[in-house]
Amino acid sequence: MKGKISSIVNKGTYSESGSYGNASFCISEDGTQNNELYCFRILYYENKKYESGQTDIKVGDEVIVCGKWMNYRNNTPETVSGGAYLVSLMRANNGGSSVVSFNTNSDTQTWKTATDGTYGSGYSTTTNSLDIGYYKYQCSSSLVAPNSNHIRIYKNSVLSIATTDGRKIKKIVINCAPNAGTTSYCFDMSGLEGCANAMADKSALIVTWNGSTKKVLLYPKDGQVRMEKITVELE
């Protein structure tokens, strides 16, 4: 279910929920308190508890919630307590930055085959004012579609992230999948078309890019990056 947070219920921000690590809030199509749906005790990303220091929620944020819904007392639609979790969060743009964060798997995004005029065949999706795609470029292997856990950005293929509303991207954080072997699927990524490079932190399993542009093009030269989640901060 997708909507804008119209009200926070009973100190329902994640940071105020203490050890429970969940939040209760209402959403509606336009963010007003009309035709609200009650999101009751929603867990955080990946169906896990919220931890201190993670991005909290506020009224006006656009969210996607996945889980079990019920008709409480036969007249009120709401989520089952502890049976739903946050999939995507786009911060309300109140003169500051916005943050889009979501898992990059086939269960929560609508990926389709696509072709880029410069970088070749691949897959793309559009979500929360972002066009995201990955393309073959100079890769020697055939690309594979997203699975339920991650996206495989092969060595010498290209990851493309662009805004659809004219805003600029100022930070990207990619969470990488671990490898059962001695190395992780986490590598530096070189920037194309004037973009800065993205640097890998193998101990934290993240790749981070910083800059200011409407479109970011990155490709790994040294090894495959398996992307589990991506967080994009917009100016």
Side-chain angles (χ1 to χ4, degrees):
M1 185 67 68
K2 179 180 180 179
K4 293 182 179 179
I5 297 178
S6 51
S7 59
I8 302 292
V9 180
N10 190 26
K11 293 186 178 181
T13 61
Y14 283 100
S15 58
E16 293 176 324
S17 298
S19 60
Y20 295 106
N22 58 45
S24 296
F25 51 89
C26 291
I27 62 174
S28 66
E29 185 175 359
D30 59 3
T32 67
Q33 294 183 20
N34 296 317
N35 300 317
E36 291 178 311
L37 290 175
Y38 187 19
C39 300
F40 182 51
R41 294 182 180 175
I42 302 296
L43 291 169
Y44 208 60
Y45 294 120
E46 302 174 357
N47 209 21
K48 297 179 180 179
K49 289 184 177 181
Y50 174 88
E51 296 180 358
S52 177
Q54 294 177 321
T55 303
D56 206 351
I57 58 170
K58 63 181 180 180
V59 172
D61 290 347
E62 186 174 85
V63 296
I64 298 177
V65 172
C66 177
K68 296 180 180 179
W69 293 77
M70 68 177 184
N71 211 14
Y72 181 65
R73 294 184 177 179
N74 297 318
N75 60 12
T76 306
E78 66 178 53
T79 57
V80 175
S81 176
Y85 61 96
L86 191 68
V87 172
S88 173
L89 167 64
M90 183 172 182
R91 302 293 284 170
N93 189 16
N94 296 321
S97 63
S98 299
V99 177
V100 180
S101 185
F102 54 89
N103 297 336
T104 55
N105 59 53
S106 57
D107 295 336
T108 56
Q109 307 300 326
T110 305
W111 292 89
K112 59 185 179 181
T113 56
T115 300
D116 181 270
T118 302
Y119 301 107
S121 61
Y123 298 86
S124 69
T125 186
T126 300
T127 182
N128 290 334
S129 301
L130 292 174
D131 279 332
I132 300 177
Y134 62 107
Y135 304 99
K136 187 176 177 63
Y137 191 38
Q138 298 176 353
C139 176
S140 59
S141 302
S142 297
L143 302 189
V144 297
N147 63 32
S148 60
N149 297 313
H150 57 257
I151 289 171
R152 298 185 182 188
I153 307 170
Y154 287 138
K155 178 180 177 180
N156 294 327
S157 65
V158 169
L159 172 67
S160 172
I161 305 166
T163 61
T164 61
D165 58 6
R167 284 185 290 172
K168 290 185 177 181
I169 301 167
K170 70 175 184 179
K171 185 174 183 178
I172 297 170
V173 177
I174 297 170
N175 293 78
C176 304
N179 187 349
T182 57
T183 60
S184 65
Y185 292 108
C186 185
F187 292 93
D188 294 342
M189 302 179 76
S190 297
L192 291 172
E193 298 185 18
C195 290
N197 296 335
M199 307 308 295
D201 182 338
K202 290 183 176 293
S203 60
L205 289 180
I206 60 172
V207 177
T208 303
W209 177 91
N210 291 282
S212 179
T213 183
K214 296 178 183 178
K215 185 175 184 180
V216 177
L217 293 159
L218 300 171
Y219 77 110
K221 290 182 176 180
D222 300 319
Q224 178 186 155
V225 173
R226 290 194 178 181
M227 183 167 64
E228 289 186 328
K229 185 172 75 173
I230 185 170
T231 301
V232 180
E233 186 172 353
L234 307 174
E235 294 181 355

